[in-house]
Amino acid sequence: MPQASTIPGAGPRRHDREIVALAVPAFGALVAEPLFVMADSAIVGHLGTAQLAGLGVASALLTTAVSVFVFLAYATTAAVARRVGADDLQAAIRQGMDGIWLALLLGATVIALVLPLAPALVDVFGASPTAAPYATTYLRISALGIPAMLAVLAATGVLRGLQDTRTPLYVAVAGFVANAVLNVGLVYGAGLGIAGSAWGTVIAQCGMAAVYLTVVVRGARRHGASLRPDASGIRASAHAGAPLLIRTLSLRAILMIATAVAARLGDADIAAHQIILSLWSLLAFALDAIAIAGQAIIGRYLGADDARGARDACRRMVQWGVAVGVLLGLLVIVTRPLFLPLFTSDGVVKDTALPALLMVALSQPICGVVFVLDGVLMGAGDGPYLAGAMLVTLAVFAPVALLVPVFGGGLTALWAAMTLMMTVRMLTLWLRTRSGRWIVTGATR
């Protein structure tokens, strides 16, 4: 006889309530993050074309630098959730503090690299001679906020592990508002130009980090957890995050290859590709919200030694992923004629994008399964498998994508290759979850 779940009231309805309670606020927080860049762009854009171009280059560099360390959130969520499931909140918060200390150390290292290398980095990204000074200024000032940005990632992971996605939503919204107000005041009121925009972002990020740290410190004092840095704990956090770093870098490589191939196809293709990629990223936020819920829920069940509950939750979340993927795909199909004019009036770009958008729509149910299973395995702390699976996916995708210009398949063929990439990810993740090897119960993996 299979053992029943040890968590009271476990069942489809309970799982649905947990998924909604965690995923909806997580989605709001995810959407709020790119609004920082959008607000900066809207404000700096009125200074001039060179300033906006400089902001674009610097923002791309900062986004890349910070997104590489997203494992700080993922690994911390899983580790803290396990301790919560084991009913050891003191150890859960202590584990979270290790992740935050690691974030601060990594942030200090990034500052030490970016400040002297800023002009060279801007040059590598191809900034024009007129935009380069603005990009360098923005990058150097904004780099001072990287420790805060990484601390926000780790602290977000702590709260998600504690089954709290509402606080990150409130902090993200407040941070966005503060960033917009500060940018207007410093750029125009104080007359600091693009430097004012950078300082506004740094102050807003530091404010967000301060709020998160206040919440975590209060929790630590309430449960008697130490706030001091612990070398062994920091090393353990880094060890858990290393495979997820490999996974993230592999995914970044896939996106870079896709963009490089689209650029070789022609101006209309790269323009259409950027529009589609923006939509694809937006759709990913909705699916990633379910994955975040999966990280927290699965970690908690496994920490509570409830393998049956973890399996049931996984099954229910996959159903959610498929359903949301179908819904998103239908929305893309229905809104295609309305969506494209928001980004371009060029008929050639529209004609190029339309069939590729159909490919994106058809792939959404696959994406739903991928995001959910990715979150499940992250919640289980199965990082090494995720790293290996993503390297396999990269190995399959790269030659197929690079052959697209050779055979003249165009942008639709490139997005067919992207769909193949997601299908490979789905298969590798499904095989792992079906095997049951990811189910390792206990307070630690």
Side-chain angles (χ1 to χ4, degrees):
M1 292 286 293
Q3 185 181 1
S5 173
T6 59
I7 296 181
R13 289 186 179 178
R14 175 185 172 85
H15 293 318
D16 290 345
R17 290 194 298 270
E18 288 183 332
I19 292 167
V20 170
L22 291 171
V24 172
F27 174 71
L30 289 170
V31 171
E33 291 174 10
L35 293 179
F36 270 81
V37 177
M38 290 179 63
D40 288 3
S41 299
I43 294 166
V44 171
H46 293 285
L47 293 174
T49 301
Q51 288 90 333
L52 184 59
L55 173 66
V57 171
S59 294
L61 283 162
L62 283 168
T63 301
T64 300
V66 174
S67 64
V68 163
F69 297 111
V70 73
F71 70 84
L72 289 166
Y74 294 157
T76 305
T77 297
V80 172
R82 275 185 177 268
R83 297 286 190 177
V84 169
D87 198 25
D88 189 351
L89 290 178
Q90 182 186 69
I93 296 174
R94 174 64 260 179
Q95 193 103 39
M97 284 304 306
D98 292 334
I100 292 173
W101 280 113
L102 175 62
L104 294 173
L105 289 173
L106 290 172
T109 302
V110 173
I111 287 180
L113 292 173
V114 169
L115 290 182
L117 295 176
L121 291 171
V122 166
D123 186 58
V124 167
F125 264 61
S128 68
T130 53
Y134 296 111
T136 301
T137 296
Y138 189 94
L139 181 59
R140 277 181 166 156
I141 296 173
S142 294
L144 299 176
I146 287 179
M149 295 179 196
L150 299 189
V152 165
L153 283 178
T156 300
V158 175
L159 294 182
R160 288 174 182 170
L162 294 170
Q163 318 296 296
D164 176 10
T165 57
R166 290 183 178 273
T167 300
L169 170 61
Y170 300 148
V171 175
V173 171
F176 165 71
V177 173
N179 179 65
V181 172
L182 286 166
N183 267 257
V184 171
L186 294 173
V187 171
Y188 296 109
L192 297 179
I194 196 169
S197 177
W199 280 116
T201 300
V202 169
I203 295 170
Q205 292 286 352
C206 289
M208 291 171 65
V211 172
Y212 275 120
L213 291 175
T214 299
V215 172
V216 174
V217 167
R218 284 178 179 172
R221 288 175 175 168
R222 187 181 309 119
H223 297 286
S226 173
L227 298 173
R228 295 179 179 179
D230 177 68
S232 62
I234 294 172
R235 283 196 300 271
S237 294
H239 184 265
L244 296 180
L245 175 61
I246 295 172
R247 168 201 167 276
T248 301
L249 291 173
S250 300
L251 181 57
R252 281 277 160 187
I254 287 170
L255 297 177
M256 288 176 64
I257 290 170
T259 300
V261 170
R264 291 177 62 187
L265 296 174
D267 290 346
D269 294 87
I270 186 61
H273 176 74
Q274 288 302 113
I275 293 171
I276 295 170
L277 193 60
S278 298
L279 174 63
W280 195 70
S281 299
L282 179 61
L283 297 174
F285 285 140
L287 298 172
D288 202 25
I290 305 174
I292 287 169
Q295 294 171 29
I297 293 170
I298 294 298
R300 194 187 77 241
Y301 274 109
L302 294 177
D305 291 323
D306 190 351
R308 174 67 178 273
R311 284 185 182 275
D312 291 345
C314 174
R315 186 179 304 110
R316 192 61 176 171
M317 281 183 283
V318 169
Q319 293 170 356
W320 269 82
V322 172
V324 173
V326 170
L327 177 61
L328 293 176
L330 291 173
L331 284 174
V332 171
I333 292 173
V334 171
T335 60
R336 280 185 311 152
L338 303 174
F339 172 75
L340 288 173
L342 295 175
F343 290 87
T344 182
S345 57
D346 190 320
V348 177
V349 174
K350 290 180 184 178
D351 292 341
T352 303
L354 277 171
L357 275 174
L358 270 179
M359 192 65 64
V360 171
L362 294 173
S363 71
Q364 287 310 296
I366 297 172
C367 293
V369 176
V370 168
F371 275 81
V372 166
L373 294 183
D374 208 36
V376 165
L377 296 185
M378 283 184 189
D382 204 11
Y385 182 84
L386 288 172
M390 189 60 79
L391 288 172
V392 169
T393 303
L394 174 59
V396 172
F397 171 77
V400 174
L402 293 173
L403 286 174
V404 168
V406 176
F407 291 101
L411 191 65
T412 302
L414 176 60
W415 277 94
M418 290 287 284
T419 302
L420 170 65
M421 178 269 294
M422 294 303 290
T423 303
V424 172
R425 288 187 70 188
M426 183 180 70
L427 290 174
T428 57
L429 297 174
W430 176 76
L431 287 172
R432 185 63 168 181
T433 52
R434 187 166 180 257
S435 73
R437 294 177 183 173
W438 58 279
I439 298 179
V440 179
T441 59
T444 59
R445 183 177 174 86

